[in-house]
């Protein structure tokens, strides 16, 4: 309910934003956590950061939902595959 289904056509994946189905409290906590991360990221001001780039292009609330969605997808993948989070992980 937090992360929507993937809608793909012609080999191009379309992943939409966070849906309003599912646990409202969990969704609220993810968005509040994302707002905190945005606040800290703007203080550090690393211009190459994904989060700083999206906050310059979009509204901060939209960026918070995008960050919460990204976090939810990461948490789901870790739980679904039984792995631990590694900060320096890069896909091969």
């Amino acid at each position: 309910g937090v992360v929507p289904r993937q809608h793909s056509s012609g080999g191009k994946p379309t992943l939409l934003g966070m849906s309003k189905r599912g646990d409202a409290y969990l969704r609220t906590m993810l968005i509040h956590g994302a707002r905190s991360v945005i606040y800290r990221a703007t203080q550090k001001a690393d211009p190459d950061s994904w989060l700083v780039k999206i906050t310059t292009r979009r509204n901060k609330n939209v960026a918070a939902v995008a960050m919460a969605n990204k976090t939810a997808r990461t948490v789901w993948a870790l739980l679904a595959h039984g792995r631990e989070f590694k900060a320096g992980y890069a896909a091969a």
Side-chain angles (χ1 to χ4, degrees), residues 38-71:
I38 288 173
Y39 176 72
R40 288 294 179 191
T42 55
Q43 286 182 338
K44 290 183 180 180
D46 178 20
D48 295 331
S49 163
W50 172 83
L51 193 55
V52 171
K53 288 179 183 177
I54 199 167
T55 53
T56 56
R57 289 192 317 250
R58 302 273 190 244
N59 185 347
K60 287 193 177 184
N61 288 331
V62 173
V65 173
M67 183 68 199
N69 189 22
K70 188 173 182 177
T71 303

Side-chain angles (χ1 to χ4, degrees), residues 8-61:
S8 300
S9 174
K12 182 178 180 182
T14 303
L15 301 173
L16 303 176
M18 291 178 69
S19 68
K20 293 185 179 176
R21 298 181 312 186
D23 191 359
Y25 181 73
L26 176 62
R27 190 171 56 252
T28 303
M29 289 294 108
L30 284 169
I31 292 172
H32 284 319
R35 284 188 183 128
S36 176
V37 170
I38 288 173
Y39 176 72
R40 288 294 179 191
T42 55
Q43 286 182 338
K44 290 183 180 180
D46 178 20
D48 295 331
S49 163
W50 172 83
L51 193 55
V52 171
K53 288 179 183 177
I54 199 167
T55 53
T56 56
R57 289 192 317 250
R58 302 273 190 244
N59 185 347
K60 287 193 177 184
N61 288 331

Side-chain angles (χ1 to χ4, degrees), residues 76-83:
W76 176 85
L78 291 172
L79 291 174
H81 299 291
R83 296 184 182 161

